[in-house]
Amino acid sequence: MSCRGPRAAPWTNDPLQALRVNDTPAPHTAAALLTAGAVRTHCAEVAREAIEGRSTFFRWQEEKLPVVAAYVVEVIRERYPDLRVPIHSRWRHFEAGGVDRWAQLVAARGLGGDAARLERARAAVDLVIPSVLLDAGAGAEWKFHEAATGQELGRSEGLGVASLGLFASGLLSADPAHPLRADAAALARIRPADIAAAFQAGPGNALVGLEGRAALLAKLGGVMDAQPQWFGKPGRLGNLVDAWRAQAVDGRIPAADILASLLQALGAMWPGRMVLEGVPLGDCWPHPAALGGLVPFHKLTQWLTYSLVEPLTDAGLTVTGLEALTGLPEYRNGGLLLDLGLIEARDSTFHTRALQVGEAAVVEWRALTVIGLDRLAPLVRTALGTDEASFPLARMLEGGTWAAGRRIAAERRAGGAPPVNVASDGTVF
């Protein structure tokens, strides 16, 4: 992995080979790419090309960094005047419109109180993993109408509320007596029609990547069955809580360890991705400026790790070292940096043509997003009068850059569309 260029990595896109993860002895060459540290390291290698003026795709405009920081600070102060910002998490979407739907659900199903906290944590993991996996961009057209509240929700909030409804229906459980579960057998049976019905998708309300979302959940069921060491037998997502409790030392577990276990346990589910010597790499793409020719991002898996902090805290664990994780390279954070000019595309068609997630320009934009968020954080903290310990990157993302990216998009374009059009199969963005 020390040579430059894609030729240095002996990968394959053979989906059957991707399923043979457990046949590969450890340590493995791929392990170096399956960490948050690898995300920062390889993103920095690619970002350096633009920052030092050598990129053929982007200009890095350092003088815009304070402009972006000021915009983000304004959004944070407006949304959280007391600066009590939660970490970036899927759980905020379940509270869209000021309704705590998860609290209502656990109360209705008898999972409230200290006596039920462990089973409640398992159920929370059962919910949040499929919900995050279903969180790729919905498209501007799609909306979800919630009958109980009368709210019409789009994008991530709509996807979150719709996925909560899917979970509450019991469709992800193999045991009708215990509907608040996500079991391997039930997930393996999920089909596009199930997602379409739960998400109200159809003519006039198209959901981008619907078939890809359904296929991802069905694949997850098979991956769970093959790995009882993580998911138990019969497989249940909530059993990860027990695996992490066993792994914790004095009730503490590093976020990097949670991410690493997720990358290992979920790796075989990603469709059509690169495989290195038999090990699937997930959200990892080629770029010639990276040592070894590959750049890992692990966006959805890092987003999932952030979203597991609250359930694991409820289970009595302390998740440490959140700063090891990176900012999420997706179209809100990355769109913010484009819209405010910190990153400038050399070719204007980058904003108008249909982009493929694996092309070098998109990989470089995502790498610049990761590094840009790291460089933005100290300026934001200084302006807020806080420090990294009390205001980690995960709070800036929530407060924060994601909301700021959405706001600037709404100011610049009708419907709040992002400044790029990346073709999505429902499993990356």
Side-chain angles (χ1 to χ4, degrees):
M1 300 296 286
S2 61
C3 300
R4 281 189 178 271
R7 291 182 183 273
W11 59 67
T12 172
N13 282 314
D14 176 5
L16 296 178
Q17 192 174 11
L19 294 176
R20 296 197 290 269
V21 178
N22 292 329
D23 296 337
T24 305
H28 189 281
T29 309
L33 293 165
L34 299 175
T35 68
V39 176
R40 274 200 173 87
T41 297
H42 291 286
C43 284
E45 292 163 359
V46 173
R48 190 177 298 120
E49 297 295 301
I51 292 170
E52 296 180 357
R54 295 188 299 273
S55 171
T56 59
F57 299 114
F58 299 100
R59 297 181 185 89
W60 175 268
Q61 304 192 106
E62 184 76 17
E63 70 277 8
K64 298 287 189 172
L65 197 57
V67 175
V68 181
Y71 190 87
V72 172
V73 167
E74 179 183 336
V75 170
I76 291 172
R77 289 196 180 280
E78 181 178 318
R79 298 181 72 228
Y80 297 96
D82 58 4
L83 300 186
R84 297 178 64 183
V85 184
I87 67 170
H88 198 43
S89 169
R90 184 57 153 168
W91 295 95
R92 305 291 77 75
H93 297 150
F94 299 141
E95 300 164 358
V99 180
D100 191 341
R101 296 167 180 82
W102 174 244
Q104 292 177 349
L105 182 60
V106 298
R109 301 295 175 87
L111 288 178
D114 285 344
R117 64 185 304 185
L118 193 54
E119 181 56 25
R120 183 171 63 245
R122 294 188 189 102
V125 171
D126 284 323
L127 162 64
V128 81
I129 292 179
S131 183
V132 166
L133 295 177
L134 292 167
D135 190 43
E141 177 182 332
W142 179 81
K143 297 287 187 296
F144 180 78
H145 178 78
E146 186 180 34
T149 64
Q151 294 184 32
E152 186 174 80
L153 303 163
R155 301 194 182 274
S156 285
E157 289 84 354
L159 291 170
V161 173
S163 67
L164 179 61
L166 172 68
F167 176 72
S169 74
L171 193 64
L172 305 185
S173 173
D175 183 354
H178 298 93
L180 297 191
R181 294 169 56 116
D183 297 315
L187 286 164
R189 293 194 295 265
I190 293 293
R191 296 295 180 265
D194 299 318
I195 301 299
F199 285 67
Q200 303 170 359
N205 195 35
L207 176 63
V208 171
L210 186 149
E211 291 194 0
R213 294 170 204 268
L216 199 61
L217 292 191
K219 186 72 172 290
L220 174 59
V223 168
M224 291 164 64
D225 262 341
Q227 299 182 93
Q229 71 273 28
W230 291 110
F231 302 107
K233 200 164 186 67
R236 177 189 177 184
L237 289 173
N239 288 334
L240 282 166
V241 172
D242 303 280
W244 284 319
R245 291 179 77 222
Q247 186 178 340
V249 177
D250 296 329
R252 300 167 67 84
I253 184 168
D257 288 359
I258 297 171
L259 176 65
S261 57
L262 289 171
L263 289 171
Q264 177 184 338
L266 303 180
M269 68 183 292
W270 303 110
R273 301 284 175 79
M274 288 180 178
V275 176
L276 177 58
E277 297 176 6
V279 173
L281 300 179
D283 186 9
C284 185
W285 308 92
H287 194 288
L291 290 175
L294 291 173
V295 187
F297 296 109
H298 307 312
K299 179 259 176 179
L300 274 178
T301 316
Q302 290 203 80
W303 170 231
L304 176 54
T305 304
Y306 284 128
S307 298
L308 286 166
V309 172
E310 289 169 64
L312 293 180
T313 300
D314 198 19
L317 294 176
T318 299
V319 178
T320 62
L322 274 178
E323 66 277 4
L325 306 184
T326 76
L328 303 181
E330 40 74 44
Y331 64 85
R332 288 307 182 201
N333 289 321
L336 171 72
L337 306 189
L338 284 169
D339 275 335
L340 291 181
L342 180 62
I343 306 169
E344 180 182 305
R346 293 183 182 273
D347 181 357
S348 62
T349 66
F350 182 75
H351 296 284
T352 57
R353 66 181 176 88
L355 302 166
Q356 300 301 313
V357 69
E359 64 180 271
V362 173
V363 174
E364 189 165 314
W365 166 54
R366 297 182 76 195
L368 283 164
T369 299
V370 170
I371 301 306
L373 292 168
D374 276 347
R375 295 179 73 146
L376 187 64
L379 278 68
V380 170
R381 293 185 191 112
T382 297
L384 294 175
T386 186
D387 57 23
E388 184 176 5
S390 56
F391 205 85
L393 183 63
R395 299 191 190 281
M396 186 185 79
L397 296 175
E398 179 63 30
T401 54
W402 192 90
R406 172 179 278 183
R407 178 176 296 185
I408 193 66
E411 292 172 2
R412 298 288 175 89
R413 290 168 296 278
V420 293
N421 176 24
V422 181
S424 173
D425 63 358
T427 66
V428 178
F429 289 96

